[in-house]
Short mmCIF file of all heavy atoms in Angstrom, two decimals:
data_model
loop_
_atom_site.label_atom_id
_atom_site.label_comp_id
_atom_site.label_asym_id
_atom_site.label_seq_id
_atom_site.Cartn_x
_atom_site.Cartn_y
_atom_site.Cartn_z
N LEU A 86 -19.27 1.05 50.63
CA LEU A 86 -19.54 1.74 49.37
C LEU A 86 -19.49 3.25 49.56
O LEU A 86 -18.96 3.98 48.72
CB LEU A 86 -20.92 1.31 48.84
CG LEU A 86 -21.19 1.55 47.36
CD1 LEU A 86 -20.22 0.77 46.49
CD2 LEU A 86 -22.62 1.18 47.01
N ASP A 87 -20.02 3.71 50.67
CA ASP A 87 -19.99 5.15 50.95
C ASP A 87 -18.56 5.65 51.07
O ASP A 87 -18.21 6.72 50.55
CB ASP A 87 -20.76 5.42 52.24
CG ASP A 87 -20.88 6.90 52.54
OD1 ASP A 87 -21.81 7.51 51.99
OD2 ASP A 87 -20.04 7.43 53.28
N GLU A 88 -17.70 4.85 51.72
CA GLU A 88 -16.29 5.24 51.86
C GLU A 88 -15.58 5.22 50.51
O GLU A 88 -14.78 6.11 50.20
CB GLU A 88 -15.61 4.28 52.83
CG GLU A 88 -14.17 4.66 53.17
CD GLU A 88 -13.15 3.82 52.38
OE1 GLU A 88 -13.53 2.76 51.85
OE2 GLU A 88 -11.99 4.25 52.29
N TRP A 89 -15.89 4.23 49.68
CA TRP A 89 -15.25 4.12 48.38
C TRP A 89 -15.62 5.28 47.45
O TRP A 89 -14.77 5.85 46.77
CB TRP A 89 -15.68 2.78 47.75
CG TRP A 89 -15.12 2.51 46.38
CD1 TRP A 89 -13.86 2.80 45.93
CD2 TRP A 89 -15.79 1.88 45.29
NE1 TRP A 89 -13.71 2.39 44.62
CE2 TRP A 89 -14.88 1.82 44.21
CE3 TRP A 89 -17.07 1.34 45.14
CZ2 TRP A 89 -15.23 1.26 42.99
CZ3 TRP A 89 -17.41 0.78 43.93
CH2 TRP A 89 -16.49 0.74 42.86
N LEU A 90 -16.91 5.65 47.47
CA LEU A 90 -17.39 6.70 46.56
C LEU A 90 -17.00 8.11 47.03
O LEU A 90 -17.17 9.06 46.27
CB LEU A 90 -18.91 6.60 46.41
CG LEU A 90 -19.44 5.29 45.83
CD1 LEU A 90 -20.94 5.34 45.68
CD2 LEU A 90 -18.78 4.97 44.50
N ASN A 91 -16.51 8.22 48.26
CA ASN A 91 -16.01 9.50 48.77
C ASN A 91 -17.04 10.61 48.58
O ASN A 91 -16.77 11.65 47.97
CB ASN A 91 -14.70 9.86 48.07
CG ASN A 91 -13.98 11.02 48.75
OD1 ASN A 91 -14.15 11.25 49.95
ND2 ASN A 91 -13.19 11.76 47.99
N LEU A 92 -18.24 10.41 49.09
CA LEU A 92 -19.34 11.34 48.84
C LEU A 92 -19.18 12.67 49.55
O LEU A 92 -19.93 13.62 49.27
CB LEU A 92 -20.66 10.68 49.25
CG LEU A 92 -21.06 9.47 48.40
CD1 LEU A 92 -22.30 8.80 48.97
CD2 LEU A 92 -21.28 9.87 46.96
N LYS A 93 -18.21 12.78 50.45
CA LYS A 93 -17.95 14.08 51.07
C LYS A 93 -17.41 15.07 50.06
O LYS A 93 -17.53 16.28 50.23
CB LYS A 93 -16.97 13.92 52.24
CG LYS A 93 -17.53 13.10 53.41
CD LYS A 93 -16.51 12.94 54.51
CE LYS A 93 -17.07 12.10 55.66
NZ LYS A 93 -16.07 11.91 56.75
N ASP A 94 -16.79 14.55 49.01
CA ASP A 94 -16.29 15.37 47.91
C ASP A 94 -16.97 14.87 46.63
O ASP A 94 -16.33 14.31 45.75
CB ASP A 94 -14.78 15.27 47.81
CG ASP A 94 -14.20 16.20 46.74
OD1 ASP A 94 -14.87 17.19 46.39
OD2 ASP A 94 -13.08 15.92 46.26
N ALA A 95 -18.27 15.04 46.55
CA ALA A 95 -19.08 14.41 45.51
C ALA A 95 -18.69 14.87 44.11
O ALA A 95 -18.41 16.06 43.87
CB ALA A 95 -20.56 14.70 45.75
N ALA A 96 -18.66 13.93 43.18
CA ALA A 96 -18.33 14.20 41.78
C ALA A 96 -19.61 14.47 40.99
O ALA A 96 -20.72 14.21 41.46
CB ALA A 96 -17.57 13.02 41.18
N ASP A 97 -19.44 14.96 39.76
CA ASP A 97 -20.58 15.19 38.88
C ASP A 97 -21.06 13.88 38.26
O ASP A 97 -22.25 13.71 38.00
CB ASP A 97 -20.20 16.17 37.76
CG ASP A 97 -19.81 17.53 38.31
OD1 ASP A 97 -20.48 18.00 39.24
OD2 ASP A 97 -18.83 18.11 37.81
N MET A 98 -20.12 12.98 37.99
CA MET A 98 -20.44 11.68 37.42
C MET A 98 -19.74 10.58 38.21
O MET A 98 -18.61 10.78 38.67
CB MET A 98 -19.98 11.58 35.95
CG MET A 98 -20.82 12.33 34.96
SD MET A 98 -20.22 12.01 33.25
CE MET A 98 -20.65 10.26 33.07
N TYR A 99 -20.41 9.44 38.34
CA TYR A 99 -19.81 8.25 38.94
C TYR A 99 -19.87 7.13 37.91
O TYR A 99 -20.96 6.76 37.45
CB TYR A 99 -20.54 7.85 40.22
CG TYR A 99 -20.16 8.70 41.41
CD1 TYR A 99 -20.82 9.90 41.66
CD2 TYR A 99 -19.12 8.32 42.24
CE1 TYR A 99 -20.47 10.70 42.73
CE2 TYR A 99 -18.75 9.12 43.33
CZ TYR A 99 -19.42 10.31 43.56
OH TYR A 99 -19.05 11.09 44.62
N VAL A 100 -18.70 6.62 37.56
CA VAL A 100 -18.61 5.52 36.60
C VAL A 100 -17.95 4.36 37.32
O VAL A 100 -16.76 4.40 37.64
CB VAL A 100 -17.79 5.93 35.37
CG1 VAL A 100 -17.82 4.81 34.33
CG2 VAL A 100 -18.31 7.23 34.76
N LEU A 101 -18.74 3.32 37.59
CA LEU A 101 -18.28 2.22 38.44
C LEU A 101 -18.21 0.93 37.64
O LEU A 101 -19.18 0.55 36.98
CB LEU A 101 -19.22 2.05 39.63
CG LEU A 101 -19.48 3.33 40.45
CD1 LEU A 101 -20.46 3.03 41.58
CD2 LEU A 101 -18.19 3.91 40.98
N GLY A 102 -17.06 0.29 37.72
CA GLY A 102 -16.87 -0.98 37.04
C GLY A 102 -16.64 -2.10 38.05
O GLY A 102 -15.87 -1.94 39.00
N PHE A 103 -17.32 -3.21 37.85
CA PHE A 103 -17.20 -4.36 38.75
C PHE A 103 -16.80 -5.60 37.95
O PHE A 103 -17.12 -5.72 36.76
CB PHE A 103 -18.53 -4.63 39.46
CG PHE A 103 -18.99 -3.53 40.36
CD1 PHE A 103 -19.74 -2.47 39.86
CD2 PHE A 103 -18.68 -3.54 41.71
CE1 PHE A 103 -20.17 -1.45 40.68
CE2 PHE A 103 -19.11 -2.51 42.55
CZ PHE A 103 -19.85 -1.46 42.03
N GLN A 104 -16.12 -6.49 38.64
CA GLN A 104 -15.80 -7.79 38.07
C GLN A 104 -16.26 -8.86 39.05
O GLN A 104 -16.24 -8.65 40.26
CB GLN A 104 -14.30 -7.94 37.81
CG GLN A 104 -13.70 -6.84 36.92
CD GLN A 104 -13.41 -5.57 37.69
OE1 GLN A 104 -12.85 -5.62 38.79
NE2 GLN A 104 -13.78 -4.43 37.14
N GLU A 105 -16.68 -9.98 38.49
CA GLU A 105 -17.15 -11.12 39.28
C GLU A 105 -18.31 -10.76 40.19
O GLU A 105 -18.31 -11.09 41.38
CB GLU A 105 -15.99 -11.75 40.08
CG GLU A 105 -14.87 -12.31 39.21
CD GLU A 105 -13.85 -13.10 40.01
OE1 GLU A 105 -14.25 -13.88 40.89
OE2 GLU A 105 -12.65 -12.92 39.74
N ILE A 106 -19.33 -10.10 39.65
CA ILE A 106 -20.52 -9.86 40.47
C ILE A 106 -21.32 -11.15 40.62
O ILE A 106 -22.25 -11.21 41.44
CB ILE A 106 -21.39 -8.72 39.93
CG1 ILE A 106 -22.02 -9.09 38.58
CG2 ILE A 106 -20.62 -7.42 39.85
CD1 ILE A 106 -23.11 -8.13 38.15
N VAL A 107 -20.97 -12.16 39.82
CA VAL A 107 -21.47 -13.53 40.03
C VAL A 107 -20.26 -14.45 40.02
O VAL A 107 -19.24 -14.15 39.39
CB VAL A 107 -22.47 -13.96 38.93
CG1 VAL A 107 -23.70 -13.08 38.95
CG2 VAL A 107 -21.83 -13.95 37.56
N PRO A 108 -20.33 -15.60 40.71
CA PRO A 108 -19.22 -16.55 40.65
C PRO A 108 -19.03 -17.03 39.21
O PRO A 108 -20.00 -17.26 38.49
CB PRO A 108 -19.69 -17.69 41.57
CG PRO A 108 -20.73 -17.08 42.46
CD PRO A 108 -21.40 -16.03 41.64
N LEU A 109 -17.78 -17.19 38.80
CA LEU A 109 -17.50 -17.60 37.42
C LEU A 109 -17.59 -19.11 37.29
O LEU A 109 -16.62 -19.80 36.93
CB LEU A 109 -16.13 -17.07 36.99
CG LEU A 109 -15.99 -15.55 37.00
CD1 LEU A 109 -14.62 -15.13 36.48
CD2 LEU A 109 -17.10 -14.88 36.20
N LYS A 110 -18.78 -19.63 37.56
CA LYS A 110 -19.04 -21.06 37.44
C LYS A 110 -19.63 -21.34 36.07
O LYS A 110 -20.12 -20.45 35.37
CB LYS A 110 -19.99 -21.52 38.54
CG LYS A 110 -19.42 -21.33 39.94
CD LYS A 110 -20.43 -21.78 41.01
CE LYS A 110 -19.85 -21.62 42.41
NZ LYS A 110 -20.82 -22.03 43.46
N THR A 111 -19.62 -22.62 35.69
CA THR A 111 -20.04 -23.01 34.35
C THR A 111 -21.45 -22.52 34.02
O THR A 111 -21.70 -22.00 32.93
CB THR A 111 -19.97 -24.54 34.20
OG1 THR A 111 -18.64 -24.97 34.48
CG2 THR A 111 -20.36 -24.95 32.79
N ARG A 112 -22.37 -22.66 34.96
CA ARG A 112 -23.76 -22.30 34.66
C ARG A 112 -23.91 -20.79 34.43
O ARG A 112 -24.78 -20.35 33.67
CB ARG A 112 -24.69 -22.77 35.78
CG ARG A 112 -24.52 -22.07 37.11
CD ARG A 112 -25.59 -22.51 38.11
NE ARG A 112 -25.47 -21.82 39.38
CZ ARG A 112 -24.73 -22.27 40.38
NH1 ARG A 112 -24.04 -23.40 40.25
NH2 ARG A 112 -24.67 -21.58 41.52
N ASN A 113 -23.08 -19.99 35.10
CA ASN A 113 -23.15 -18.55 34.90
C ASN A 113 -22.49 -18.12 33.59
O ASN A 113 -22.93 -17.16 32.96
CB ASN A 113 -22.49 -17.81 36.07
CG ASN A 113 -23.28 -17.94 37.35
OD1 ASN A 113 -24.51 -18.02 37.34
ND2 ASN A 113 -22.58 -17.97 38.48
N VAL A 114 -21.43 -18.83 33.20
CA VAL A 114 -20.70 -18.48 31.98
C VAL A 114 -21.46 -18.94 30.74
O VAL A 114 -21.56 -18.21 29.74
CB VAL A 114 -19.29 -19.09 32.00
CG1 VAL A 114 -18.57 -18.83 30.68
CG2 VAL A 114 -18.47 -18.51 33.16
N LEU A 115 -22.04 -20.13 30.79
CA LEU A 115 -22.70 -20.70 29.62
C LEU A 115 -24.20 -20.43 29.59
O LEU A 115 -24.82 -20.48 28.52
CB LEU A 115 -22.47 -22.22 29.57
CG LEU A 115 -21.02 -22.68 29.43
CD1 LEU A 115 -20.96 -24.20 29.41
CD2 LEU A 115 -20.38 -22.11 28.17
N GLY A 116 -24.79 -20.15 30.72
CA GLY A 116 -26.23 -19.95 30.78
C GLY A 116 -26.67 -18.57 30.36
O GLY A 116 -25.86 -17.70 30.02
N ALA A 117 -27.99 -18.38 30.36
CA ALA A 117 -28.57 -17.07 30.02
C ALA A 117 -28.22 -16.05 31.09
O ALA A 117 -28.05 -16.39 32.27
CB ALA A 117 -30.08 -17.20 29.88
N GLU A 118 -28.13 -14.79 30.68
CA GLU A 118 -27.81 -13.71 31.61
C GLU A 118 -28.93 -13.56 32.65
O GLU A 118 -30.11 -13.53 32.31
CB GLU A 118 -27.64 -12.38 30.87
CG GLU A 118 -26.33 -12.26 30.10
CD GLU A 118 -25.15 -12.01 31.03
OE1 GLU A 118 -25.35 -11.86 32.24
OE2 GLU A 118 -24.01 -11.97 30.51
N ASP A 119 -28.54 -13.50 33.90
CA ASP A 119 -29.47 -13.26 34.99
C ASP A 119 -29.27 -11.83 35.50
O ASP A 119 -28.18 -11.49 35.99
CB ASP A 119 -29.21 -14.26 36.12
CG ASP A 119 -30.18 -14.11 37.28
OD1 ASP A 119 -31.00 -13.16 37.26
OD2 ASP A 119 -30.13 -14.93 38.21
N PRO A 120 -30.28 -10.97 35.37
CA PRO A 120 -30.11 -9.56 35.74
C PRO A 120 -30.16 -9.29 37.24
O PRO A 120 -29.98 -8.15 37.66
CB PRO A 120 -31.28 -8.88 35.03
CG PRO A 120 -32.35 -9.93 35.01
CD PRO A 120 -31.62 -11.24 34.82
N THR A 121 -30.38 -10.30 38.04
CA THR A 121 -30.63 -10.09 39.47
C THR A 121 -29.50 -9.33 40.16
O THR A 121 -29.73 -8.33 40.85
CB THR A 121 -30.88 -11.43 40.18
OG1 THR A 121 -31.96 -12.11 39.56
CG2 THR A 121 -31.18 -11.19 41.66
N GLU A 122 -28.28 -9.82 40.01
CA GLU A 122 -27.17 -9.19 40.73
C GLU A 122 -26.88 -7.78 40.22
O GLU A 122 -26.55 -6.87 41.00
CB GLU A 122 -25.91 -10.06 40.62
CG GLU A 122 -26.01 -11.38 41.36
CD GLU A 122 -26.35 -11.20 42.83
OE1 GLU A 122 -25.86 -10.24 43.45
OE2 GLU A 122 -27.13 -12.01 43.36
N ALA A 123 -27.00 -7.57 38.91
CA ALA A 123 -26.82 -6.22 38.38
C ALA A 123 -27.86 -5.27 38.97
O ALA A 123 -27.54 -4.14 39.34
CB ALA A 123 -26.92 -6.24 36.85
N ARG A 124 -29.09 -5.74 39.06
CA ARG A 124 -30.15 -4.91 39.64
C ARG A 124 -29.86 -4.62 41.11
O ARG A 124 -30.05 -3.48 41.59
CB ARG A 124 -31.50 -5.62 39.49
CG ARG A 124 -32.68 -4.77 39.94
CD ARG A 124 -34.00 -5.52 39.77
NE ARG A 124 -34.26 -5.83 38.37
CZ ARG A 124 -34.32 -7.06 37.87
NH1 ARG A 124 -34.12 -8.11 38.67
NH2 ARG A 124 -34.57 -7.26 36.60
N ASN A 125 -29.38 -5.62 41.85
CA ASN A 125 -29.07 -5.40 43.26
C ASN A 125 -27.95 -4.38 43.45
O ASN A 125 -28.01 -3.53 44.36
CB ASN A 125 -28.68 -6.73 43.91
CG ASN A 125 -29.87 -7.66 44.08
OD1 ASN A 125 -31.02 -7.22 44.06
ND2 ASN A 125 -29.60 -8.95 44.24
N TRP A 126 -26.93 -4.46 42.61
CA TRP A 126 -25.84 -3.48 42.71
C TRP A 126 -26.32 -2.08 42.35
O TRP A 126 -25.97 -1.10 43.02
CB TRP A 126 -24.67 -3.89 41.82
CG TRP A 126 -23.77 -4.91 42.47
CD1 TRP A 126 -23.70 -6.25 42.20
CD2 TRP A 126 -22.82 -4.65 43.51
NE1 TRP A 126 -22.77 -6.85 43.02
CE2 TRP A 126 -22.21 -5.90 43.83
CE3 TRP A 126 -22.42 -3.52 44.21
CZ2 TRP A 126 -21.23 -6.02 44.81
CZ3 TRP A 126 -21.44 -3.64 45.19
CH2 TRP A 126 -20.86 -4.86 45.48
N ASN A 127 -27.14 -1.97 41.30
CA ASN A 127 -27.67 -0.65 40.95
C ASN A 127 -28.54 -0.08 42.06
O ASN A 127 -28.52 1.13 42.34
CB ASN A 127 -28.46 -0.73 39.64
CG ASN A 127 -27.58 -0.55 38.42
OD1 ASN A 127 -26.52 0.07 38.49
ND2 ASN A 127 -28.03 -1.09 37.29
N LEU A 128 -29.33 -0.93 42.71
CA LEU A 128 -30.15 -0.47 43.83
C LEU A 128 -29.29 0.09 44.95
O LEU A 128 -29.56 1.17 45.49
CB LEU A 128 -31.02 -1.62 44.35
CG LEU A 128 -32.20 -2.05 43.49
CD1 LEU A 128 -32.80 -3.35 44.01
CD2 LEU A 128 -33.26 -0.95 43.44
N LEU A 129 -28.24 -0.64 45.29
CA LEU A 129 -27.38 -0.20 46.39
C LEU A 129 -26.62 1.07 46.02
O LEU A 129 -26.49 2.00 46.83
CB LEU A 129 -26.39 -1.31 46.75
CG LEU A 129 -25.44 -1.00 47.92
CD1 LEU A 129 -26.22 -0.63 49.17
CD2 LEU A 129 -24.52 -2.19 48.19
N ILE A 130 -26.12 1.13 44.78
CA ILE A 130 -25.40 2.34 44.34
C ILE A 130 -26.34 3.54 44.35
O ILE A 130 -26.01 4.63 44.84
CB ILE A 130 -24.81 2.13 42.93
CG1 ILE A 130 -23.73 1.05 42.97
CG2 ILE A 130 -24.22 3.44 42.40
CD1 ILE A 130 -23.33 0.54 41.59
N GLY A 131 -27.56 3.35 43.81
CA GLY A 131 -28.52 4.45 43.77
C GLY A 131 -28.90 4.94 45.15
O GLY A 131 -29.01 6.15 45.39
N LYS A 132 -29.09 4.02 46.06
CA LYS A 132 -29.44 4.42 47.43
C LYS A 132 -28.30 5.16 48.11
O LYS A 132 -28.51 6.10 48.86
CB LYS A 132 -29.82 3.18 48.23
CG LYS A 132 -31.12 2.53 47.79
CD LYS A 132 -31.29 1.17 48.44
CE LYS A 132 -32.54 0.47 47.93
NZ LYS A 132 -32.67 -0.90 48.44
N THR A 133 -27.07 4.71 47.83
CA THR A 133 -25.92 5.37 48.43
C THR A 133 -25.73 6.78 47.88
O THR A 133 -25.52 7.74 48.63
CB THR A 133 -24.64 4.54 48.18
OG1 THR A 133 -24.82 3.22 48.69
CG2 THR A 133 -23.44 5.18 48.86
N LEU A 134 -25.84 6.93 46.56
CA LEU A 134 -25.66 8.24 45.94
C LEU A 134 -26.79 9.20 46.31
O LEU A 134 -26.60 10.41 46.39
CB LEU A 134 -25.57 8.10 44.42
CG LEU A 134 -24.31 7.43 43.86
CD1 LEU A 134 -24.43 7.26 42.35
CD2 LEU A 134 -23.06 8.24 44.20
N ASN A 135 -27.99 8.66 46.49
CA ASN A 135 -29.15 9.50 46.77
C ASN A 135 -29.59 9.40 48.23
O ASN A 135 -30.77 9.48 48.54
CB ASN A 135 -30.31 9.09 45.86
CG ASN A 135 -29.99 9.37 44.40
OD1 ASN A 135 -29.70 10.51 44.03
ND2 ASN A 135 -30.03 8.34 43.57
N ASN A 136 -28.62 9.19 49.09
CA ASN A 136 -28.90 9.02 50.52
C ASN A 136 -29.56 10.26 51.09
O ASN A 136 -29.03 11.36 51.03
CB ASN A 136 -27.59 8.73 51.25
CG ASN A 136 -27.79 8.53 52.74
OD1 ASN A 136 -28.91 8.31 53.19
ND2 ASN A 136 -26.72 8.61 53.50
N GLU A 137 -30.75 10.09 51.67
CA GLU A 137 -31.47 11.23 52.25
C GLU A 137 -31.82 11.02 53.71
O GLU A 137 -31.83 11.95 54.50
CB GLU A 137 -32.78 11.47 51.49
CG GLU A 137 -32.61 11.81 50.03
CD GLU A 137 -33.97 11.93 49.36
OE1 GLU A 137 -34.70 12.87 49.69
OE2 GLU A 137 -34.30 11.06 48.55
#
Side-chain angles (χ1 to χ4, degrees):
L86 199 62
D87 185 84
E88 185 259 342
W89 179 39
L90 299 183
N91 192 26
L92 294 174
K93 294 178 181 179
D94 185 22
D97 298 319
M98 285 184 68
Y99 282 87
V100 185
L101 307 179
F103 297 87
Q104 304 81 45
E105 298 188 42
I106 66 168
V107 297
L109 299 183
K110 298 179 179 179
T111 303
R112 68 174 182 271
N113 291 328
V114 175
L115 298 179
E118 285 285 356
D119 182 354
T121 303
E122 292 304 323
R124 186 180 297 115
N125 289 340
W126 277 104
N127 272 335
L128 287 170
L129 181 57
I130 295 166
K132 292 169 183 174
T133 303
L134 290 175
N135 295 302
N136 180 17
E137 298 176 68

